[in-house]
Amino acid sequence: MEAATERQVALETLRLQLEWGADEALGEAPVDRTRRQAMTRPAPALVERSPSLVATAAAKGARPAAAVRADEVAAAARSLQELRAALGSFEGCSLAATATNLVFADGNPGAELMFVGEAPGAEEDLSGKPFVGSSGQFLDRMLATIGLDRTKFLITNLIPWRPPGNRNPTDAEVLICLPFLFRHIALARPRRLVLLGALAARSVLGGNAGIRRMRGKWVEARVPGLDEPLPALPMLHPAYLLRTPGAKRDMWTDLILLKRTLEADLSGT
Ligand code: URA
């Protein structure tokens, strides 16, 4: 990292720590806790959880017809541009009719790191870009403390259209949008995924565990279209952190895990 960038990252980190209440130095000598533990654990097998929404729906033959159509439409896309165009003309999800814009992705499509959130809110709906509202700005500031900005990762959502009034997406909407997300991942081919919030983590990894149980470790995501499982890190959603300041400590731990893993594993970050 260049000296100016390093200074910028150090300043961002200090600002965030102050904001989070760490305004006192406790020892004479500074301790770099990020270097004290091996942060890159091998990705363990998938966390054991009850069957996923997707598996349960498939077993019951309960996938909506639009989800089957989504499989076909998504699979036919040969590039991210084609996938975006396919989503733009897909009529199988009623959310598209109430949204102002399709919110496809932001950041660097060639990056080795990809973030997946839940669904766009009002600002994202207006701008057509994910994570530009208050939780997105908060996420950007947290990521700046570990030297990440949107030139270094790709960011998208499980659901690419804003649910009216920011309601939670229904199971059917998740089942319909998931093939597009999987295709997005398979076409972008990141080396690592970060799943923001319970809905994104459960939908991609399966199971029904809470995000507080899932976070804090790399697990394997099986993405249709990719031969190898992809290491994925479930993290708390920035909107949850804004509502739950007591959870920031866990987020900090996860940010350090992410930083150490990227330093050890990825080239362009
Ligand atoms: N929350 C999300 O999950 N995604 C966005 O794009 C914005 C807020």
Side-chain angles (χ1 to χ4, degrees), residues 93-106:
C93 182
S94 57
L95 293 177
T98 50
T100 313
N101 282 301
L102 168 71
V103 178
F104 185 65
D106 193 26

Side-chain angles (χ1 to χ4, degrees), residues 199-220:
L199 185 66
R202 284 187 199 137
S203 304
V204 170
L205 299 171
N208 288 312
I211 190 68
R212 303 298 298 253
R213 263 196 62 205
M214 283 194 263
R215 57 150 289 275
K217 51 191 171 290
W218 288 96
V219 294
E220 292 181 344

Side-chain angles (χ1 to χ4, degrees), residues 32-194:
D32 184 352
R33 296 187 197 282
T34 64
R35 308 222 169 255
R36 301 190 91 204
Q37 35 187 314
M39 301 303 292
T40 318
R41 292 175 235 161
L46 276 170
V47 181
E48 201 37 61
R49 292 188 286 270
S50 51
S52 69
L53 169 68
V54 181
T56 310
K60 287 191 199 152
R63 287 187 83 220
V68 178
R69 178 79 191 122
D71 286 340
E72 295 161 7
V73 172
R78 299 277 141 217
S79 64
L80 292 176
Q81 290 87 335
E82 282 186 24
L83 185 67
R84 183 186 201 127
L87 266 168
S89 54
F90 184 69
E91 290 180 350
C93 182
S94 57
L95 293 177
T98 50
T100 313
N101 282 301
L102 168 71
V103 178
F104 185 65
D106 193 26
N108 179 354
E112 296 181 318
L113 177 65
M114 181 170 181
F115 284 78
V116 178
E118 298 189 343
E123 287 92 341
E124 289 79 15
D125 180 56
L126 286 178
S127 68
K129 281 191 182 179
F131 285 101
V132 293
S134 53
S135 62
Q137 289 163 24
F138 185 49
L139 178 69
D140 283 347
R141 284 174 40 236
M142 286 190 290
L143 294 178
T145 68
I146 56 166
L148 290 179
D149 60 41
R150 293 191 188 199
T151 63
K152 294 179 178 152
F153 58 82
L154 178 64
I155 186 161
T156 188
N157 282 306
L158 166 64
I159 308 286
W161 300 281
R162 180 192 184 201
N166 292 351
R167 67 160 170 75
N168 291 330
T170 63
D171 285 358
E173 287 159 356
V174 171
L175 289 168
I176 293 165
C177 293
L178 195 55
F180 291 105
L181 174 66
F182 279 145
R183 189 70 186 140
H184 202 151
I185 299 169
L187 288 168
R189 293 195 168 266
R191 292 193 44 222
R192 301 249 166 193
L193 273 186
V194 174

